[in-house]
Amino acid sequence: DADLARALDAAGRDLDAAIAELRELARGLHPSILASDGLRAAVEALAERTPVQTSVQIPDGRFVEALESTAYFVVAESLTNVVRYAGATRASVMIEVQDGMLRVEVADDGVGGADPSRGSGLRGLQDRVAAVAGRLTVASPAGGGTTVRAELPCG
């Protein structure tokens, strides 16, 4: 079917763009929208390019650069995993400030089974979050979707 082929081509291009952005972050480069417009705009732009329906809930306002960069990296890697491995139909990104912490949560309705010990992406996230004195947890029961949570100190 021609419509399906076009949709798959578009999804492949979107995934390639998201992966390229993720690689820039891994090299320490920030997407220009993150630097200019902040975390909310950058995550919304990333979610729009994600081929899985993704809802976003993020407060307005800016955070220190290291915090925004780390939070964005958590979302970018998590959404990349949703697209590549989860078989999900929906994902959600929720970021909030609570009790002096920036809480980042990315959840999907996919197949679950994500294991940080089996891949470099989630291990890299753990290292990135630890570098700002934060904590990363992954809940991913088989058949039950995956939730990645990061708690990053705001102070």
Side-chain angles (χ1 to χ4, degrees), residues 53-149:
Q53 180 184 346
T54 304
S55 65
V56 175
Q57 182 181 340
I58 302 175
D60 288 324
R62 298 295 306 257
F63 303 95
V64 297
E65 183 180 336
L67 204 58
E68 285 190 339
S69 175
T70 301
Y72 182 84
F73 189 78
V74 168
V75 172
E77 175 67 24
S78 296
L79 288 178
T80 297
N81 288 344
V82 168
V83 172
R84 290 180 120 183
Y85 308 116
T89 60
R90 288 189 316 270
S92 65
V93 177
M94 186 184 72
I95 299 177
E96 64 183 353
V97 178
Q98 189 177 62
D99 301 326
M101 302 293 271
L102 184 66
R103 297 181 193 276
V104 180
E105 179 179 291
V106 180
D108 68 63
D109 66 352
V111 298
D115 181 357
S117 69
R118 289 197 331 242
S120 61
L122 289 173
R123 276 197 315 263
L125 275 186
Q126 287 176 323
D127 293 343
R128 180 89 175 220
V129 168
V132 295
R135 187 175 60 146
L136 183 83
T137 59
V138 178
S140 189
T146 298
T147 301
V148 176
R149 288 185 186 95

Side-chain angles (χ1 to χ4, degrees), residues 43-56:
V43 169
E44 286 174 344
L46 182 61
E48 287 174 12
R49 290 192 310 272
T50 300
V52 173
Q53 180 184 346
T54 304
S55 65
V56 175

